[in-house]
């Protein structure tokens, strides 16, 4: 869909709203999305099957799974969905996820994540800069 970030680009204006899970989207947010999606690129997104928060919802379900096997199946479901969408950003995410798949699924073995460590690393990086 070309370069994003130009003033007046309707999809750029709603880029963060497109990441919000549908159940958490406000009425104002829905109106802004509806106003932007008649844009030709918005129609392209619709034709490709990209729904609001779809990828985040599918990935969130991996962590919400009750056991390792269910989590593995949900991760496979995400990859199956990603193959049907044909959106470069989703393709990139789908290619990147297998590199951390073991760590993602380890959450169901240990019940912990490396989130706190990543948060401390981010603070260190910001302080160092």
């Amino acid at each position: 869909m070309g370069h994003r970030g130009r003033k007046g680009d309707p999809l750029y204006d709603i880029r963060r709203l497109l990441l919000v899970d549908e159940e958490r989207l406000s009425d104002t947010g829905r109106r802004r999305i509806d106003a932007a999606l008649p844009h030709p690129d918005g129609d392209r997104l619709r034709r490709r099957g990209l729904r609001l928060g779809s990828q985040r919802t599918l990935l969130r379900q991996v962590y919400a799974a009750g056991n390792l096997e269910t989590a593995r199946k949900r991760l496979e479901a995400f990859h199956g969905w990603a193959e049907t969408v044909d959106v470069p950003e989703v393709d990139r995410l789908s290619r990147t996820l297998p590199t951390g798949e073991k760590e993602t699924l380890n959450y169901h073995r240990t019940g912990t994540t490396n989130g706190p460590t990543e948060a401390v690393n981010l603070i260190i990086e910001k302080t160092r800069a």
Side-chain angles (χ1 to χ4, degrees):
M1 290 185 294
H3 177 74
R4 289 281 173 233
R6 300 185 196 283
K7 185 176 181 180
D9 179 353
L11 293 181
Y12 182 76
D13 292 341
I14 64 164
R15 68 193 181 280
R16 291 193 179 172
L17 285 174
L18 290 171
L19 296 175
V20 175
D21 298 323
E22 200 161 355
E23 68 270 7
R24 303 179 93 193
L25 196 59
S26 69
D27 291 337
T28 304
R30 284 182 208 284
R31 284 193 296 275
R32 287 184 59 207
I33 288 172
D34 289 341
L37 287 181
H39 183 273
D41 284 346
D43 291 340
R44 222 166 127 193
L45 288 175
R46 274 202 193 103
R47 282 195 308 274
R48 291 176 174 183
L50 190 64
R51 288 185 214 76
L52 301 176
S54 296
Q55 64 188 20
R56 285 184 51 193
T57 300
L58 287 170
L59 289 176
R60 190 175 59 199
Q61 289 175 354
V62 172
Y63 284 100
N67 59 53
L68 180 62
E69 194 55 41
T70 304
R72 189 180 316 275
K73 288 178 183 176
R74 289 179 179 177
L75 196 55
E76 289 171 8
F78 171 81
H79 288 295
W81 172 81
E83 288 176 13
T84 66
V85 179
D86 191 32
V87 172
E89 293 83 0
V90 175
D91 291 340
R92 189 176 329 118
L93 176 61
S94 184
R95 285 192 313 272
T96 303
L97 280 175
T99 61
E101 185 172 324
K102 180 181 176 189
E103 291 80 3
T104 301
L105 294 176
N106 276 341
Y107 170 78
H108 293 284
R109 289 187 187 109
T110 64
T112 61
T113 70
N114 69 337
T117 304
E118 293 296 331
V120 170
N121 285 341
L122 180 63
I123 292 169
I124 292 169
E125 290 298 318
K126 285 183 179 246
T127 305
R128 195 166 51 175

